[in-house]
Amino acid sequence: MADFQNITLEVADRIATITVDRPKALNALNPDTLRELSDAIDRVAKDDGVKVVIVTGAGDKAFVAGADIAAMVDMDEAGGRGFGEAGHAVMRKLERLPKPVIAAVNGFALGGGTELALACDIILASDHAVFGQPEIKLGIIPGFGGTQRLARKCGANVAKEMILSGNNVKADRALQIGLANAVVPAADLMDEALKLAGKLASYGAVALAAAKRAIDEGLDKAKIDDGLQVEQDAFAGLFSTEDRTEGMKAFIEKRKPDFKDR
Ligand code: DAK
């Protein structure tokens, strides 16, 4: 659609496809992209002709390579908090959308990219997809819900390993740990996503919404909003550390960070 700069939204056969499209930054999420995603989710929420949503990334290299580090590098604590709130709001809106959402993960899904996929209901991964929560390497922690949703989906064991080590997880392991629902050849990813979406779209919208709500609200008895608040406070606090500045500057300057533990 003409009014989006960083994403596209296409609707066909009762399926909306939202594609994050910022190839120069491997589809990283900057504030404008978050705003556009929020707007696109509102549109598909209101469109009774849409029964299922697919979220993917443009190109064959990245789904979403994370929150945009260049946009975050100069943020102070208030800026970090605002950015985190915007990301939380988008992920929560997607998660609460009363329509099934399929993530078609076509490449790197790092940081905010894994978090975007985690806010979807079903994750289909291409065989060259790579997941990860590498924020620790930047002196921060996941800030778009990763600490909460990864632990809920894959268990605290996996969440701690991935978030504390910052190690990436390839598609086959993502399947093994229950992060991805299926892995398909890269060339077949969108066809498989559309096939699954078409199947879901053939069912009743009311039942689809009820099933999604029952699962999510049941799991949420442990109060994800409380957990998200803990994450938000911890994340924002890191924006006043030297290590956070160093971690992000080092990435942009393409060198190893020299952390001082403060
Ligand atoms: N942000 C900005 N630019 C990025 C980017 C990112 N996350 N990832 C890649 N790019 C840019 C690169 O800087 C490069 O730009 P140019 O140098 O060409 O101008 C271009 O995309 C191509 O990337 P590479 O040259 O690095 O490509 P490679 O194939 O060599 O490597 C890679 C691909 C995905 C392995 C590498 O780009 C990479 O490691 N990217 C960073 C991945 C990462 O660390 N992601 C996590 C970001 S942190 C919070 C809110 C959010 C979050 C936390 C808190 N609050 C405010 C509460 C979440 C944080 C994150 O997601």
Side-chain angles (χ1 to χ4, degrees):
M1 291 213 179
D3 46 344
F4 291 130
Q5 308 297 317
N6 303 295
I7 68 168
T8 60
L9 169 60
E10 286 165 13
V11 178
D13 300 328
R14 298 177 298 178
I15 300 163
T17 302
I18 298 172
T19 306
V20 181
D21 190 2
R22 290 188 70 219
K24 65 178 181 200
L26 299 186
N27 304 328
L29 302 176
N30 63 2
D32 283 345
T33 309
L34 288 177
R35 270 190 290 276
E36 292 184 10
L37 281 172
S38 179
D39 186 13
I41 298 164
D42 287 341
R43 289 192 202 182
V44 300
K46 281 189 212 131
D47 186 344
D48 291 338
V50 170
K51 295 197 52 187
V52 181
V53 179
I54 296 173
V55 177
T56 192
D60 56 8
K61 186 164 175 181
F63 172 69
V64 163
D68 191 308
I69 300 168
M72 287 192 290
V73 69
D74 290 326
M75 282 179 191
D76 58 11
E77 183 169 340
R81 184 174 286 275
F83 189 48
E85 281 169 2
H88 271 175
V90 168
M91 304 307 161
R92 204 71 175 114
K93 196 181 271 190
L94 197 57
E95 189 172 54
R96 286 179 164 155
L97 188 71
K99 308 179 185 205
V101 183
I102 298 168
V105 178
N106 53 308
F108 287 111
L110 302 180
T114 284
E115 291 172 300
L116 179 62
L118 284 167
C120 300
D121 300 303
I122 294 174
I123 299 178
L124 291 189
S126 88
D127 50 10
H128 69 246
V130 177
F131 298 82
Q133 298 285 175
E135 290 88 347
I136 201 83
K137 298 177 185 171
L138 300 169
I140 54 171
I141 64 170
F144 290 170
T147 63
Q148 305 305 304
R149 294 194 181 94
L150 187 58
R152 278 169 170 76
K153 196 174 184 82
C154 301
N157 199 25
V158 163
K160 285 181 179 170
E161 178 197 330
M162 285 178 66
I163 292 170
L164 297 179
S165 73
N167 286 344
N168 290 342
V169 166
K170 290 187 180 161
D172 53 350
R173 177 136 196 264
L175 181 65
Q176 197 185 34
I177 62 180
L179 178 51
N181 292 78
V183 178
V184 300
D188 301 338
L189 180 66
M190 281 317 289
D191 284 348
E192 290 294 332
L194 286 164
K195 198 160 90 184
L196 176 60
K199 180 171 190 172
L200 302 190
S202 74
Y203 303 139
V206 179
L208 288 168
K212 175 169 172 169
R213 192 179 64 243
I215 294 166
D216 287 341
E217 286 188 9
L219 287 172
D220 201 23
K221 292 292 177 202
K223 289 285 171 224
I224 190 169
D225 279 324
D226 293 345
L228 290 172
Q229 191 58 50
V230 172
E231 178 183 276
Q232 173 75 355
D233 291 341
F235 178 87
L238 290 168
F239 267 76
S240 48
T241 66
E242 288 176 30
D243 282 350
R244 194 278 312 185
T245 307
E246 167 64 10
M248 292 186 178
K249 278 200 172 133
F251 174 82
I252 285 167
E253 291 163 11
K254 301 188 187 296
R255 59 174 174 80
K256 277 199 168 171
D258 179 16
F259 291 128
K260 303 288 189 209
D261 302 330
R262 53 178 185 261

